Amino acid sequence: MKRVVIVFPGIGYTAEKPLLYYGLNIACECGYEEYRKLTFAPREKSNIRGNKTAMKAAFEELYEQAEGQLRDIDWNQYDDILFMSKSIGTIIACAYANENRIMNVKHVLYTPLTYTYQYKIQNAIAFIGTEDAWCDCQEVVKLSEGADVPINVFNKCNHSLETEKDVSGNIDRLSEIMKMTRDYLDYGKSDFAVNWDR
């Protein structure tokens, strides 16, 4: 079986930051022998959050960058394709899978945005924090349920799935998220719709 994982970062949240760095390492341990880490260079990094026009412009710019970096891939050669994404990268990953009709793709969605769910998502798991300033957590949870995407919700966590001034707690949480990521990759679709953190 030939497997590949593509990492779609966020704006400022590169593939070297914890969720994507360790997520990719987990995927490699689970048998994804090939990988590609996309890099995004938006012209405008500020004034995007909460601004629909700026978000649309950023999406279009970064989607074009993703297309350029993936142009040489023949998706038909892979039996198992994983898109691992963060924030705006979740929108780009889902849009790319839809536009290119990649039917056997799985998604790990770290902190998806509401716009992510405008695309059909066939097989995915998601993670969000209740204090995520980039979206309405309750709305994302409802959209996830409607799309049949199991979502893990972490209480009082921000857009990086962290809480302030709690390094030990953040490390423990990261370990828990990575275990859930591994379980999803090992066993497929989760058996829950919404999993609320205690």
Side-chain angles (χ1 to χ4, degrees):
M1 179 179 286
K2 196 168 183 183
R3 294 173 162 178
V4 65
V5 53
I6 310 296
V7 178
F8 294 77
I11 295 174
Y13 200 101
T14 70
E16 305 310 318
K17 291 205 172 181
L19 293 167
L20 295 177
Y21 175 83
Y22 288 108
L24 174 58
N25 278 274
I26 292 290
C28 290
E29 285 186 359
C30 289
Y32 289 86
E33 62 275 353
E34 292 183 42
Y35 65 85
R36 187 168 298 189
K37 297 185 281 188
L38 304 188
T39 56
F40 293 149
R43 285 187 294 271
E44 179 65 51
K45 290 185 181 180
S46 59
N47 195 35
I48 295 173
R49 187 172 66 193
N51 184 329
K52 288 184 179 180
T53 303
M55 177 65 79
K56 185 175 186 296
F59 164 77
E60 290 171 354
E61 179 187 11
L62 301 183
Y63 185 88
E64 186 177 327
Q65 291 178 22
E67 277 192 318
Q69 294 173 65
L70 298 173
R71 190 165 286 127
D72 63 324
I73 295 183
D74 174 11
W75 299 106
N76 294 319
Q77 69 178 304
Y78 297 105
D79 306 294
D80 190 341
I81 299 166
L82 171 65
F83 284 179
M84 183 170 286
S85 55
K86 173 76 172 75
S87 189
I88 195 172
T90 66
I91 310 172
I92 296 164
C94 293
Y96 186 90
N98 276 246
E99 290 295 320
N100 292 276
R101 294 186 168 88
I102 305 173
M103 307 311 291
N104 59 331
V105 66
K106 291 192 293 244
H107 291 274
V108 174
L109 306 168
Y110 295 123
T111 66
L113 305 179
T114 53
Y115 304 105
T116 305
Y117 296 91
Q118 67 189 305
Y119 301 99
K120 185 174 181 181
I121 308 170
Q122 292 184 318
N123 191 348
I125 189 170
F127 302 84
I128 194 89
T130 59
E131 304 302 313
D132 192 322
W134 279 78
C135 64
D136 179 329
C137 176
Q138 295 287 348
E139 184 179 1
V140 168
V141 167
K142 286 179 183 176
L143 290 167
S144 265
E145 287 183 293
D148 195 27
V149 173
I151 188 164
N152 298 278
V153 185
F154 293 91
N155 192 37
K156 297 181 181 177
C157 288
N158 62 22
H159 195 53
S160 296
L161 294 177
E162 296 177 343
T163 58
E164 290 185 21
K165 300 178 182 177
D166 185 12
V167 175
S168 295
N170 290 335
I171 291 170
D172 290 345
R173 188 177 311 102
L174 177 63
S175 178
E176 182 182 359
I177 291 166
M178 290 305 113
K179 182 183 183 306
M180 291 175 178
T181 299
R182 182 188 293 277
D183 287 348
Y184 171 69
L185 297 181
D186 281 344
Y187 305 114
K189 204 164 192 175
S190 300
D191 58 359
F192 62 85
V194 183
N195 183 27
W196 290 91
D197 180 38
R198 310 126 326 263

